[in-house]
Amino acid sequence: YRASDGKDLGQSPFGYLDVTADGKHVFSAGARYDVDYTDATAARYSFDIAGSAPIDAQNHRDTATNIDGSRVYSASGYPYNFPRYNGLTFDTQGALPGTYYPNNVELGSDGRVHCASDVGSDEDVWIYDADGFLVDSFRASASSYVRARTLQVSADGFISILAVGSNNNELIFRVVN
């Protein structure tokens, strides 16, 4: 949808994705697509794959990028971490640790990375600073799992909001230190 007037611009060919603030780059499963909106008034747009990062990620579940696309994170069922790459140069930049089946990743406005996995252990949610150092971690719910792609971060970056569920459905709000 076009933000200015809500016009439907058609179906997207992408899976789980995130978009840069200017809308020109779309990231999904390690790939960057460059979007051309010159014909968007006719409800058409074009895109070309610009390249892919050489990350070892399977069973892709979520993607997050910062404003300009220079930091992109992936949550993939395997390996059990959150790969990071530069979405402009496609250089890999390591990975943030997780546990079985990562399924959520979001970037806060303050640069912190909020991550979650759907297999509960002692911890299934982690918050890292922009340099990759662990800031906070916790278990979302003792009786439920974190639902895929439900993690959101408040505008100020200080509250993680996620949905958990098995037999019951809950929203968890966690203030980040």
Side-chain angles (χ1 to χ4, degrees), residues 9 13 18 21 43 62 66 91 96 106 117 122 128 149 158 177:
L9 297 178
D18 203 7
D62 203 3
N66 65 341
D91 294 332
L96 300 174
E106 292 294 329
S117 291
D122 291 338
Y128 298 94
R149 296 168 305 282
F158 287 105
N177 298 323

Side-chain angles (χ1 to χ4, degrees), residues 13-163:
F14 311 107
Y16 311 122
L17 56 88
D18 203 7
V19 181
T20 55
D22 62 7
K24 293 181 180 179
H25 306 296
V26 176
F27 296 93
S28 180
R32 184 184 87 214
Y33 300 87
D34 294 338
V35 184
D36 178 4
Y37 296 98
T38 56
D39 200 17
T41 57
R44 290 189 305 268
Y45 57 94
S46 61
F47 63 93
D48 291 307
I49 188 162
S52 296
I55 59 173
D56 179 22
Q58 301 168 18
N59 191 19
H60 182 70
R61 303 304 299 260
D62 203 3
T63 299
T65 184
N66 65 341
I67 290 174
D68 68 358
S70 62
R71 287 182 22 211
V72 182
Y73 295 85
S74 176
S76 300
Y78 181 84
Y80 307 132
N81 59 27
F82 300 89
R84 175 182 167 178
Y85 64 96
N86 182 316
L88 306 176
T89 65
F90 302 105
D91 294 332
T92 57
Q93 298 176 334
L96 300 174
T99 190
Y100 302 112
Y101 311 117
N103 65 357
N104 283 277
V105 62
E106 292 294 329
L107 277 146
S109 59
D110 58 357
R112 290 191 278 190
V113 186
H114 300 244
C115 306
S117 291
D118 71 356
V119 173
S121 60
D122 291 338
E123 300 160 341
D124 52 12
V125 180
W126 305 268
I127 294 97
Y128 298 94
D129 69 14
D131 295 320
F133 293 102
L134 186 65
V135 173
D136 195 7
S137 62
F138 58 94
R139 173 86 190 256
S141 173
S143 62
S144 299
Y145 59 92
V146 178
R147 292 187 179 269
R149 296 168 305 282
T150 62
L151 176 63
Q152 296 295 311
V153 180
S154 63
D156 63 6
F158 287 105
I159 300 176
S160 285
I161 305 160
L162 57 138

